[in-house]
Amino acid sequence: MGRRNRNRQKPQQFRDGKPEAKRSRDDAGWGAGYSEIIKENKLFEHYYKELKIVPDGEFEEFMEAMREPLPATIRITGYKSHAKEILHTLKEKYFKEVQDLEVDGQKIEAPQPLSWYPDELAWHTNLSRKILRKSPFLEKFHQFLVSETESGNISRQEAVSMIPPLLMKIDSQHKILDMCAAPGSKTAQLIEMLHSDMDVPFPEGFVIANDVDNKRCYLLVHQAKRLNSPCIMVVNHDASNIPRLHFDQDGKKEVLFYDRILCDVPCSGDGTMRKNIDVWKKWTTSNSLQLHGLQIRIAVRGVEQLAVGGRMVYSTCSLNPIEDEAVIAALLEKSEGALELADASADLPGLKYMPGITSWKVMTKEGQWFSDWSEVPKSRHTQIRPTMFPPTDPEKLANMRLERCMRILPHHQNTGGFFVAVLVKKEPMPWNRRFPKLRNKDVNASSDVAPAEELQMGASPAEVPPSDGLSTDTPVEAVEEETPAEGNPSVPETPDLSEVKKDNVCGPPPPKKMKLFGFKEDPFVFLTEDDPIFPPIQAFYDLSPDFPKLNVLTRTHEGKKRHLYMVSKELRNVLLNNSERMKVINTGVKVWSRNTDGEEFGCAFRLAQEGIYTLCPYIRARIINITVEDVKVLLTQENPFLRNLGDDAHSHAKKLEMGSIVLRYLPDPKDQDAPQCPIDLCGWRGKTSIRAFVPRNERLHYLRMVGVEVFRDKQGKRTDGSTETQEGSTEDAEGLSQESDLVKQEGAEMEQNGSESNTNSTEPVGSACDGPIS
């Protein structure tokens, strides 16, 4: 075959007999789709008119809102003290000036806070790319948003996507599972809530973020890494069959049950039409019919792993009751009273929503309607399932309280469409309470009964000890109760033990074996307390006695350890007890990196900026207190002399030997113009100079916090006053000879980090609500 002609013109596309307009995003909101697609779908309108999910007299307003571009929405992330500083900068520096700004004679609408989001940490605006490019001030604002997004301090996230984490009511001790987590904006919210108290470096809780798509797991890693938390683990599994994990508690191996679960399932996404314009021409009812079974299986697997008393939030970006109320009703019916729909109406004051519906019909893609399962012909039984219809028993339907579900309509608060329901687990699921028989050739079946008390407590039958009728030295194999079939509409709600009996085994069939796929990950190797790597680190940084050495890990079994990471005690417990049961993509935060020839300075490992806030509570030496002016010098000059610092910092720095240091700014309550949150920077004390090793985006972030204007002009030149030369290179030649390797190493790492973040620069395929600002 010959080579394709890259310069060949593509055939002209026609619509309604006229040439199709050139695609342009200039007039659409950030992240909006192509504006030339005709936003019309008669089947969609007919379907939702018939279902009556929109209040009487509002359907035309609803459709008009669906055709309008979605406003850009940003959320201020990070720990609370830093979030307040960013909010102060936004309100005082940018939002005030936008109020009086005009572009081409048009007055700009100022950004507004979301009324229902706590502490004004989420804002929306109708500013388009076209307007942003026309005003030099707005261009600076846009650069600010992009830079802060890359450094993890601002997240572009659709407003309705922020709702589920808020309804989970997270505390720092909660064990959390995010079942379908990529690309990770909701996961970031969960991590922030765990770290609401900056004084606690290792919260007792953790977040396990899962996604079935291996590539999207890496997008998830990059999102989570921006928050530098030791309490996050990214795993790669099918959510409908995510493995049951174990952990050690008081010397005994127990089943891990989660306090909070986010079940944001794959859906048809018709609530995202304002953003994902392609949905207009691709929408059909068959999408929801095909996804319904998967959604139930994922939800069932979630509640199986939910602790008694815990909360699971089920959500979709679909308005379709087949994916929403039908799934919740099927889940409640299967639970036989173990689950309850919580009333979340008071949890988000100011949020406008419609209550869940209790009556709906099912329509095929050809337009045929069915009101009840009895009406469905046998030829349709593989496409339409009984769980897609509302319960026929009025009393059972009333007891479900489906009106407690929440459906957000676009025209009520200028958002996308969304559905969310909060489930509380009151007792173990029915199939967890039944008595499975144990396989034992030498013992009568009548004695193969697990103690009721063990199962009532939610223990897996696989973990239940033999009953009194069994000798403890008799080999016994228990059948695990979880199965992918549970939640599948095509199988009975509670399998009859006699029907599944096979080879003297009673109980549901065992779960599928986990398939490992995707990239091969490096191992996670925990260090021992007596590892020879610790004594020089301990002495150099004067680590406190309570420093958790057992929480330190590396990613290699052999050779020199290049990087050291830390995880929380609870995640270490999970990792050690489940290495063969789950595929871990990433966990931990980097705290030290090997420094070439670092032994000459007393320690082979230098501090890493990513883990500085995790590590600092345990470091008692090599800390230099700095002022706002010192921060400006360190972040705008490439390699300043020690004498360029203030007197106190200069005096302290001279007393220290060469090597890695912590540069710490502590707020002064009397100086309200200065940042009112602590700042820790990773640095290097040279022979006569000092240097801050901070990634570029964090550098820009901290400069803004201390009042330095940072942006690039159209030629790409920096205007923050920073110098690109190594100041003092002649006088400090001796000290820099050793530092040069460190500088190169740091630069290589920053380049690597930059390439990682670039992977996340475009919105991933299938993302409904989240993405970076560009």
Side-chain angles (χ1 to χ4, degrees), residues 663-719:
L663 300 160
R664 175 169 294 168
Y665 164 78
L666 295 175
D668 181 3
K670 297 178 182 177
D671 185 4
Q672 289 298 313
D673 293 332
Q676 292 302 300
C677 65
I679 297 174
D680 287 332
L681 305 177
C682 174
W684 183 268
R685 198 285 202 202
K687 191 170 184 180
T688 60
S689 68
I690 197 165
R691 182 185 179 97
F693 283 111
V694 181
R696 175 182 172 272
N697 288 315
E698 281 193 63
R699 184 181 292 252
L700 301 182
H701 164 68
Y702 288 126
L703 281 172
R704 292 189 185 97
M705 288 180 66
V706 296
V708 177
E709 184 76 30
V710 185
F711 69 96
R712 292 180 180 272
D713 59 21
K714 291 186 178 180
Q715 285 74 39
K717 296 180 181 179
R718 284 264 294 277
T719 60

Side-chain angles (χ1 to χ4, degrees), residues 274-415:
R274 300 183 65 179
K275 175 185 175 183
N276 299 327
I277 312 297
D278 284 347
V279 178
W280 280 97
K281 59 182 181 181
K282 293 179 179 179
W283 188 91
T284 173
T285 56
S286 62
N287 296 338
S288 58
L289 299 179
Q290 292 167 3
L291 286 165
H292 173 81
L294 173 64
Q295 291 162 341
I296 289 183
R297 291 195 296 274
I298 293 175
V300 167
R301 192 59 177 166
V303 294
E304 282 178 348
Q305 303 209 25
L306 185 65
V308 173
R311 291 166 73 93
M312 186 177 89
V313 172
Y314 175 89
S315 62
T316 74
C317 45
S318 168
L319 301 173
N320 199 324
I322 307 301
E323 304 175 64
D324 298 340
E325 285 91 347
V327 174
I328 296 299
L331 201 58
L332 291 172
E333 189 163 5
K334 287 175 182 293
S335 77
E336 299 178 10
L339 297 176
E340 180 182 64
L341 260 177
D343 184 359
S345 58
D347 292 344
L348 293 177
L351 177 66
K352 296 178 182 177
Y353 67 91
M354 295 301 297
I357 60 177
T358 57
S359 175
W360 62 88
K361 297 184 290 185
V362 177
M363 186 177 79
T364 65
K365 64 179 180 180
E366 295 82 15
Q368 186 178 5
W369 288 95
F370 300 106
S371 300
D372 187 80
W373 168 247
S374 60
E375 302 175 1
V376 181
K378 287 186 177 181
S379 60
R380 296 277 189 180
H381 280 190
T382 56
Q383 179 188 14
I384 299 175
R385 304 300 305 149
T387 51
M388 296 178 182
F389 296 90
T392 54
D393 185 342
E395 184 178 356
K396 181 184 291 185
L397 181 62
N399 290 335
M400 288 181 177
R401 307 295 297 273
L402 291 179
E403 67 276 3
R404 289 182 172 178
C405 299
M406 307 166 74
R407 179 176 279 104
I408 292 89
L409 299 178
H411 64 293
H412 284 166
Q413 284 185 300
N414 199 12
T415 65

Side-chain angles (χ1 to χ4, degrees), residues 535-555:
I537 294 177
Q538 182 95 33
F540 192 71
Y541 296 103
D542 189 19
L543 299 180
S544 60
D546 61 340
F547 174 72
K549 294 180 182 179
L550 293 177
N551 293 16
V552 180
L553 62 87
T554 185
R555 298 297 302 272

Side-chain angles (χ1 to χ4, degrees), residues 470-486:
L470 296 175
S471 171
T472 56
D473 58 359
T474 304
V476 176
E477 290 183 53
V479 181
E480 188 166 344
E481 83 287 10
E482 292 90 7
T483 167
E486 289 166 357

